Amino acid sequence: MFHPTVARLTYRALLGRRRALILFALPALLVLLAVAVRVLAGADDATAGGILGTFALGTMVPLIGVIAGTGAIGPEIDDGSVVYLLAKPVPRPTIILTKLLVAIGVTVVFSALPVLLAGFLLNGNSQQMAVGYAVAAAVASVAYSALFLLFGTITRHAVVFGLVYALIWETFVGTLIPGAKTLSIQQWALAVGQKAAAEGALSSDVQLPLALCLLVGLTGLATWYASRRLKALTLAGEE
């Protein structure tokens, strides 16, 4: 279910000059912010939690997910080059799963690792906050990659839809409206991350069993439907 050639082409597309600049810029901004806060204000758990929860997990991680998830397949569909890929004797689910794994890997590297580093810089991993938020970022990376990869297969405006979800739903609706928090990937990831941190260091409005079910369900459903959409695209091209 993993195709090395598809993976190599996907990595090349995601780490092209323009996307690479954005992918490196966001983590670099987080690390620089962490250094500045530590130098100016010293180690403080409340400040660290605010930066890691609001900027890192609430904004940076979903944005990187948008770039990696939609960029894994969206541009190929837009410019028509996906036809050459679909002409190869590679099962469509294998193409989707390979691209998803690449998107997850890129998102984890450019989000979870910088979050871990920033956490150590901010408060030296006090109360295991750095580890907790890094785990949350890694878990969120999987769900975001699957969701935004699906967007890339169903619409030519995947980036727009991804940004709307990341910046409006996750940043505002999912954090401010109580009922909407249950449908927030950020809250699901926090439910997992709080188990890796000290008690009370992280908090989520979703219980862990429900969060795990929703994370697995969303990832699986999005991957399955993306495969179906790719099959439909193949049929349309043959017709």
Side-chain angles (χ1 to χ4, degrees):
M1 297 299 291
F2 182 85
H3 199 281
T5 302
V6 175
R8 184 172 63 254
L9 294 174
T10 306
Y11 272 117
R12 187 180 301 173
L14 288 179
L15 299 179
R17 182 175 301 177
R18 183 179 302 175
R19 287 190 179 87
L21 287 176
I22 302 176
L23 287 172
F24 278 104
L26 290 171
L29 179 60
L30 173 63
V31 173
L32 290 175
L33 179 62
V35 171
V37 169
R38 182 62 182 268
V39 171
L40 297 175
D44 181 75
D45 290 349
T47 302
I51 294 175
L52 295 176
T54 303
F55 176 71
L57 190 62
T59 302
M60 186 191 78
V61 177
L63 285 179
I64 292 177
V66 171
I67 298 169
T70 61
I73 196 169
E76 291 176 308
I77 294 178
D78 290 342
D79 62 20
S81 61
V82 71
V83 174
Y84 300 100
L85 178 60
L86 297 178
K88 304 296 181 181
V90 182
R92 305 307 175 247
T94 297
I95 295 175
I96 289 297
L97 184 59
T98 300
K99 287 182 172 295
L100 174 61
L101 292 175
V102 171
I104 290 173
V106 170
T107 307
V108 169
V109 168
F110 285 94
S111 60
L113 295 183
V115 167
L116 181 64
L117 176 58
F120 274 96
L121 290 172
L122 284 166
N123 68 350
N125 196 33
S126 174
Q127 301 188 70
Q128 295 292 308
M129 291 182 68
V131 174
Y133 277 108
V135 169
V139 170
S141 297
V142 177
Y144 284 134
S145 297
L147 178 63
F148 298 137
L149 179 65
L150 171 62
F151 286 174
T153 63
I154 63 178
T155 175
R156 292 181 178 273
H157 306 290
V159 174
V160 176
F161 280 90
L163 290 176
V164 169
Y165 179 87
L167 297 179
I168 297 180
W169 183 267
E170 290 284 37
T171 304
F172 294 103
V173 180
T175 57
L176 299 178
I177 300 176
K181 293 181 179 180
T182 306
L183 300 177
S184 168
I185 293 176
Q186 179 184 345
Q187 293 298 320
W188 305 345
L190 281 171
V192 179
Q194 69 180 355
K195 295 299 180 181
E199 186 175 356
L202 280 71
S203 63
S204 173
D205 291 276
V206 181
Q207 295 298 315
L208 181 60
L210 177 60
L212 289 174
C213 291
L214 291 171
L215 283 166
V216 172
L218 173 64
T219 303
L221 184 61
T223 305
W224 169 78
Y225 193 65
S227 298
R228 286 184 60 87
R229 290 292 301 179
L230 201 60
K231 289 181 180 180
L233 180 64
T234 305
L235 292 174
E238 292 172 351
E239 291 173 356

